[in-house]
Structure formats: structure tokens, C-alpha cells
Amino acid sequence: MLVIFIQVLGFSCNSQTKPENEMSLNGEWDIIFDDTNQGISEDWYKNDVYEKQNFRKINVPSCWEEYNKNYEGVGFYRKKFNVPKSWEGKIIELNFDAVNYKSEFWLNDQVVGFHEGGYTPFSFRVDNLAKMGEENTLVIRVISPIILTDKYIDGLGRQEVPMWRGAITGGVWQPVSIKVKGTIGLKDVFIEPKIDTNTAVFNIEIENTEITTEQVEVTVNILSKNREVIASKKGNIESFPGMNALNWNISIPNATYWSPNNPFLYKAEVTIKKDGEVSDQWSHKFGMREFTVVNDQFHLNGKSIYLKAAFFEGLYPTKLGYPDSREMAIKEIKLAKEAGFNMIRPWRKPAPKMWLDLCDEMGVLTVGSLVVECMHRPISTPRLPFVVENELRKTILSNRNRTCIVQWELFNEINRPILAQMLNSMSVLARELDPTRMILDESGGWGEGANIFLPFERTSKKFNDIHHYSGSQVDEKEFDGYLATAQTNKKKEALGLQGVKSYGKNVVPGMMSYISELGYGSTPDLISNIKEFESKGNPIVAPSIYHKELNDGYITALKKVGFDEIYPNVQDFYLEQQKMHGIANKRMIEATRLNDVVKGYCVHALVGGDWVIGAGLLDLWRNPKTLVYDMTMEANQEQITPIRILPRNVYGEKGAQLEVYGVSELPNEHVTVSVKIISENGNEVFNKVFDKIFKNGISTFLMDQLNTNNWKGAHIVQVEVKNVSGKVISNNSQSFDVFSKEQLTIPKAKIAVMDFDNKLTSFLDEKGIEFIPFRPDLDKNIPVLVGITAKKDAKYRASVESLRRYAQEGGYVVFFEVLGEQMGGPEDPIILKDTATEVLPLGAQMFGKWPTRGGWAAKSHVVTNHPVFKGLPTEMIMHGVYENVHPDVALAKQEGNYIAGLIGYDHFPNKDRMRRHFIGPGEVWWAADVMETPFGNGKMLLSTLRIIEFLDKDPVAEKLLYNIINYISK
């Protein structure tokens, strides 16, 4: 039955390959950068006026900032081309894959139309405007997103339109073509694959541009890979003027299903004939697949699948928003699959057609993403609801035949009432536009908690979608947090996790969960990257600039605090960061996979750039950051064997708990498990070999209480699992340290103490360490240890003043806590300044947990070879043995002698939201973890290490305390 459809403006029916009736308009165009927005009033859209202006050449497609550094505002494009005489009397369409953002069009001095939206395709009919057999002149006026400046153009101001954080992406940045067809053509074809019946439903919109009803023949062919027609349907229909709808259900015999392991694609060909002549034709590849949730498990084609996704911004080194080459796109997708990922999550920017073609062909699940709600962007204006609906509608309509796209993600971390209000209405609209896919209303669940719509369902179900970044140290508490996430109190109690805080916002305990953002960060090898930018890059685009600036900043910061003596070659610093990144990613993933409520995760990120430059497993040139990539790949395998040593740092006389687990996505199989522990001198101190069934899901391989009485130093657990054929199917290792009583010799020194919560004094009493209370008239030869306080109260402040005077008069004071001036929260803007020692300790600028631990960006805490760290690893970035005492705060840009300190950078300049975009990170800075400084006639030693908090819990805290006492007593 035929029905009339309403035309959706801006959407065109595009095929994956250019047919014979379509010509590319890519190549050299003219452009005028209209910085003062005078062109429209001066008629630059008229060819004779344009010809008199100062225009230059530009290649289309391209982002115009490739030609004019950081340019934003207005640009006038011009292209001259011939239209074949044979196209006379036919319908001619101009097709644009994407023009960013608002664009207006003239052909041969005649108005064509306008379009708003920068990331989706659209088309215009121009047959009455085109000159057949002659030269035609197309002029386009484009207003780009305004990101950097305060320009206000045609009602569009700074950061008021959808913007992607990777680049301005201004202008005609995706391909352009012109197409001819008959008077009765295909407006849209939407294929709905249904594996339950092995059929494909073809929803066909036919547009009759004539004024009379016409008889046409419609043919649908489905071809296999070898181009054999395996299914076909043909029919004669009566086409009324305007839009006509046709819905055909076509059976596919012995259908082969598309999956990451077998990305089998059929090709659909739709042809319309009038009077025996082809009026229009369309082709598109598609796969038979279904992605949904069954019994709280993700399912692909009726089989459960554990999601392992990679977050992906889609930024490239020279072409910015578009792959530098097809080969580069192939490389990144191939590396993602080889690393064990079965899904890629393009983030807040619809991926280009070429890239999606490759995902279809290479077999990787992808998330359909919209360029809305990108970290408070676009900013709130009365246009925001229109912008959201406009982008949602166009993105879904342009990509709903994509096999690789299995889910639409509508919002991300929403934090504005208007967007929360739109959650349901936009989800309903998405369902109307595409009944076939799963829809996630909001990643992160910040608004009201996440909801998903399963394919063909019109009502949603609650769903835990969680974002959590651990930073550099996945210690016991952090690891336990992943295990506890979304668990019920009863399940927590059974797991021994009572009181453990889980992760996520608006999380419903016991409900199916997905951690859609996790991961740490590290700096890429900037030296190698800079060489690549110099040899094959573009010096004016932002990535070329901020890679060099970041490298220069690191060199300056390392030298400022003396860490250049540890890292005379800055590349060694970057490589060690990458090792820390790999360790953290691996532990986060292992912990996540040990939680039976969590059904998948997304690692942030596959590639790093702009202000999240450190997050990638690959650098911007698509080179793997080897240790990060390899360790993440290890944790992504179908069968893994996580190891836990509790506690990580062991008192030799107390022993430790060894736990080895198996996590498998494969069917149950008989295996032989070998567990060894090797000491630092190479001796095997533990060995167990046993047979086990490696079960699908999560299982316990070994729980053993270790007697470590005679052990000392660094140890490593090695696990190897072999199948019945003797093949190693999984292996893992985990380090830990054992401290003997001899390593924790109690110091004998005369010290004074000022304590506020009695933790320090209680420990000293327990260990029999003599001390006296601090008093202002104390002998200046007696060093003072200052404990921690529960809050920054008047008593503490008064005590600090007396301690300052004591140091000024020649005494030595050790602060185990620094309660300086907090530098604001994660979203608060800051301007750092060098801080003199005279203001210590209360006047220090203090970084909080996010910049100190790092989130998804490298924050490297370096330990020097100093008596404070005697008997512990030094000249390295803190990890492993330091994971418990690792600081949560640091003294930003503090003057003094750094014994241990932090090298990091502002995620974006001065943490100013208006500068959180493509220009990259802010300044590289330094901060103190442990520092010593002269103070008047005396000295201060200040530490932000969590020494007091871990006394009697971690021997490293005890070791550090004793080292400090011994050091200051000399």
C-alpha cells in the first residue's frame, strides 16, 4: 500500500559508491576568508563580484584551518564545473557529506538554499538553476563554529553551536558531488535486517516530481560477496506526485550473519525504471545482525557478547576531523581489533562515511554518536533544544543503514535541566526514526540515571552506565570499588566488601551495568611525534603546535625541580609514563571483569589528542604506545587470570593472601594451572600446579595464605594456564614486596611531636619510640614531627604559627600534612603562580585529588634517590610499592628542594572551560610531594604522602616514617 511521507529536510539518499550518474566536485576550489563578515552585504555570492575579490585556492574536502591558522567565522567558497548536456530534463542534485556549520548556497547567481548542521549529509535540487552543457558557478557562504573569539555572526555566537573538541573543522570538510536522476527517484531507502526470520525489510521512499501519476517498475536485488543475486523482488507500482512509500519484506535464504569475527556484507541494489529506462538507482552494503540485551547480557545474533570498547575522538594529525588517508583509518581500526576490542565508541562526533565503510567491512561494532552535549557544549542559549533535535534527526537518518552501528548514544554526562527534560522526547524521536537499534539516552547517567530502549521496543528499561577514572594508582581500595560497583548490600557482604564505595552516578544496585569510561593516561613519545609533524604534518594546525609546546614544557619542568638528572632524555620519561598507564589500565580492566554485574567496559581512549592528548593507546600518528597498548591488550583477552596479593606490601611476619581468578568468555575447558612466586634474587619460593576447569564467566583458581616469615624484598607472582593440548592460553604476573623486621628497624632519636588526631603518637607509643610534646621553647636541636588533623581549625592554625616561629629560630619541623590553599574543584578555573617558601605551610597552593592522581591524564610523581626513600625504589615514577602512600594532594609550583614531586599539566589552559577544546592542554607544571626547604634559620620538610594514614597497615609507611626520623636527627 502506498502512503504519502513528509520530506525530512536536509537528508538525502546516498549510496556507498559513486554510480555512473554522479560526478565528484572534490578538488581545487576558490575561497575568500571573510573575517569582517562583509561579503553578504557586498554580493560576493555573485560571480562577477567574487571575481574581483582577493580569493585563494583551497582543496575540498578540507578543514579550512589547514589553510588559515585557527580561522573561524565566514568563508565564501566558489567552484566552477560543467554539467553534461545529456542531463537536460532530468533531476539534478548537489550532495554534500558535511559542511560546518551554517551554509548558504547560490548556483549561477541564483539562490539555492541553506543548511544548518556541520556533521551530516544533505542535498539540494538544482536542475532549474543549472546550465546544461555549460560552465556553472557554485558559491557557498559558510559560517563555522565560533570557538576562540567573541565574533557574533547571523545570530551565532561563541560556542553556541555544536562543536567538537578536536578542531574547528570549519568549511566544506567532507566530499561534494552532483548527481542526475530521472523525474521519479529514490528519496530514501532504509533496510531493517531481521535475523529471527532471516528477512530484510526495505522501507523505500519514492519521490515523483511530476504533476501526474506515473507507473514505474521497482526492483530490489540482494547480492552476495561474489555478486550473485541471492534474493530479488520486482513490482510495478502507481506513483502519485510527491512522496510514495513502499515496504517490502525480502527473505534471505541461508543468511550469513555479520559479526566482528565474520563481517559478512550483502549488497542491496534498488532500481526504478520508467518506460523501460532507469530513472534512479541506489546501492548499499548491509549485514544481517541483531544487537540487544537478553537476560541482562549483551547479545549479538542470539549469542552473549562481553563488550570491550575503545573510546574514539576521531582526530587526525593533519586533516583533523577526517582521516589523513584511508590507510590511516584502516590501521587504527585494525590495531583496535588486534588489541582485543570488539567495539569503538566515536565520541560526540558522527564518524565520516569512509570510516564507517571500513568498520562495516572490517567487523567492529560502533556506537552512533551525536555532536551534542560535549562537556557543557554548546553553551545554553534558547537555540539549544532546536540544535539537539536537529543533530539527532540528521545523524540517525544519515547512518541508519550502517551495519557496524548497533546503538545510538544520545547524550553524555548531561548537567542542564533543559537536556534532562529532553531525555525522553529525544529517545522517543530516535525510536521513531530507527526502530532497529538499541538506544542509550545518556552515557554516564548523570541526569536521571541511564535508560536503554531495546530494538523495536517503545518503552525503556533502567540501565547502569558508569564513568569512572581511577588515576595512576589502582590500589586495594580502588580495585575493591570496581568489585563493589552496582552490587547489592547482600552481595557486597558475601564478597567481603561491606562499606566499600562503588562507582557511578544514579546507580541501581543489582542492575546490569556497563562502565562506559575508564582508563588512565600517558604522554606519547613527543620527540618522535614532532619529527613526524615536521616531515609530513602541517605546521599551522593545532596538533603540530601543542605537541611541540607540551614537549618544551616538560623539559622546562623537569629541569626546574632537578628531575632532569633522572631523565636527561625526556623520551625516557614519556616511556615510563606509558608503563604506568599500561599497569593502571590493566588493573582497572581486571577489576571490572571480576564484577559479574558489569557486562562490559569502554577504555578511554584509542587515540589521544587535543586536551586529552595523554589518554590514547595510540598516538595521533597511530603509532601504538607500546607498553600501554600491550598491557591493555593482555587485559582484553577472552581468557584472563587476574591476581591479587592482599595486602600488596606485606609485613613478613604477618603473611599475605594470594588470590588467582579465571575470567573466560569461552566455553568451559579443562586446563592446568601453574602458580609460581619468584623472589628478587631469582629463587622460586612458591610453586603449585593443579588441574582446573576454566569456566565460562568468573571462577576462583586459587586462594592461599602465604607464610612470608623468611621472605624479604620484591617478589613476583607468575600464573600460566595451559589447555589439554599443552598450549598456553593465559598468563599473568603481579608484583608485591615483603618487609622483614630487619628492614623496619625502629629509630633511636630524640624527637618532639605535635599531634591532633593521636594517630602518630599512638603509633610511636605502640612501637616504643620515645618522644616529647612540642612546646614553643623547645631546644632547637630537637626536630618536631607534626601529625595530621581532621579539619583546618583555629587550634591547628595557631599551632602552625608557633611551629613556623620554631623553624625560623633554627628548629627543624616535619609536616605530614599540608593544609594550604585549595586550588578549586575539577571544573574551577585557576591561574598558578610560583609560591615562595615564606608562606609555608598554610599559604601553599594545593592541588586536589583529580590533578594529583591524574584521572585520564598523566600525572607523574617522581621519587629521587634521597635518604627519605632509603631501602625503597628510587629514581622512578611512583607505583607499585608506593600505591598506598601515593599522595592525593600536592604543593603546586612550590619553591624548595624536591625529594619527590609531581610533573603534570593543565588539561586545558588555566582550566578555563571556554578554552577546553582543540588548542590542546595548558602549561606543564610541577608540584611537591616531599620537599625540604630552609626556613629562616631552620628548616622544614613537608610531605603529602599518606604516611600517617597507613601506619600499621602498610610497611612502606612505617619505613618512610623511620627514614624521616633518621634523616632529620642527623
Side-chain angles (χ1 to χ4, degrees), residues 252-313:
I252 300 177
N254 303 312
T256 301
Y257 298 155
W258 180 97
S259 71
N261 293 329
N262 182 27
F264 187 93
L265 293 172
Y266 295 95
K267 186 176 183 180
E269 294 181 343
V270 181
T271 304
I272 295 179
K273 287 185 179 181
K274 179 189 173 188
D275 300 328
E277 298 290 329
V278 173
S279 183
D280 198 8
Q281 55 191 352
W282 176 93
S283 68
H284 203 289
K285 292 180 180 178
F286 75 99
M288 295 292 290
R289 59 100 184 90
E290 180 188 63
F291 180 76
T292 188
V293 172
V294 179
N295 297 326
D296 288 339
Q297 296 269 5
F298 292 112
H299 272 63
L300 179 65
N301 303 333
K303 297 179 180 179
S304 64
I305 180 172
Y306 189 90
L307 285 189
K308 291 174 283 191
F311 182 106
F312 181 66
E313 285 203 304

Side-chain angles (χ1 to χ4, degrees), residues 258-261 291 300 305-310 336-345 363-366 404 406 514 599-601 636 638 665:
W258 180 97
S259 71
N261 293 329
F291 180 76
L300 179 65
I305 180 172
Y306 189 90
L307 285 189
K308 291 174 283 191
K337 292 197 67 173
E338 289 175 352
F341 294 108
N342 52 27
M343 174 179 270
I344 297 177
R345 179 193 173 204
V364 61
L365 308 175
T366 62
C404 61
V406 296
Y514 177 64
K599 304 304 180 182
Y601 55 85
N636 278 344
E638 291 178 311
E665 302 167 46

